[in-house]
Amino acid sequence: MQIKIINKSTHQLPAYETAHAAGMDLRANIEEQIIIKPLQRFLIPTGLFIELPIGYEAQIRPRSGLAYKHGVTVLNSPGTIDADYRGELKVLLVNLSDTEFVVNNGERIAQMVVAKHETVVWESTEELSNTDRGAGGYGHTGKG
């Protein structure tokens, strides 16, 4: 699949780090360090602008290493970039740790997964089909 991209950063385009990776790393495009204090959030620019095909979205997800090692994650995870959005891709990071986290220019801050989606047309009805689960919701199986 080919996707149009404008790169106004000084960094390489998002790329897959391994042959079978689903996500591509996004890098911070900033002029000076950003310090994210504990429980603070910050919108980090990437310098990237994309044109997704209709029927696709780009999901912005946390990087597992940042989450595990530093307690830093994507706040609205996964963030969704719609096919009609033409603005700069930005990543909303939050620091859930008890120490400051420093974001440097070019640092890998999130990953992006491009995924196909469906458009729903609702069909109003008075009843739904029965299943073994029925209306059982949160915790109904007794596990976890």
Side-chain angles (χ1 to χ4, degrees):
M1 157 186 284
Q2 288 189 328
I3 295 176
K4 291 181 182 179
I5 187 167
I6 296 172
N7 185 1
K8 293 187 178 181
S9 80
T10 57
H11 312 298
Q12 66 193 47
L13 291 176
Y16 299 102
E17 295 295 321
T18 64
H20 302 290
M24 298 171 271
D25 287 333
L26 295 176
R27 296 177 182 275
N29 184 50
I30 52 180
E31 292 184 16
E32 54 188 53
Q33 288 182 332
I34 294 172
I35 298 173
I36 307 175
K37 295 179 181 173
L39 300 180
Q40 186 180 36
R41 60 191 177 273
F42 210 97
L43 196 58
I44 311 290
T46 66
L48 301 173
F49 302 74
I50 61 175
E51 183 178 323
L52 291 167
I54 295 170
Y56 287 84
E57 66 163 327
Q59 300 172 3
I60 309 303
R61 300 179 180 185
R63 292 194 66 242
S64 59
L66 285 183
Y68 177 67
K69 295 175 186 173
H70 303 286
V72 173
T73 190
V74 176
L75 187 56
N76 61 325
S77 183
T80 296
I81 308 299
D82 294 308
D84 58 352
Y85 178 68
R86 295 295 183 269
E88 181 179 10
L89 302 185
K90 295 181 180 180
V91 178
L92 183 57
L93 290 183
V94 63
N95 181 355
L96 299 176
S97 77
D98 58 358
T99 59
E100 292 181 344
F101 179 75
V102 177
V103 180
N104 293 298
N105 186 40
E107 186 165 356
R108 296 181 299 161
I109 56 170
Q111 57 182 327
M112 178 173 64
V113 174
V114 175
K116 187 167 181 49
H117 69 82
E118 299 294 328
T119 300
V120 171
V121 177
W122 295 108
E123 177 186 342
S124 292
T125 185
E126 295 299 318
E127 67 180 60
L128 303 174
S129 63
N130 289 325
T131 66
D132 288 340
R133 180 178 183 171
Y138 293 103
H140 83 282
T141 64
K143 297 178 182 173

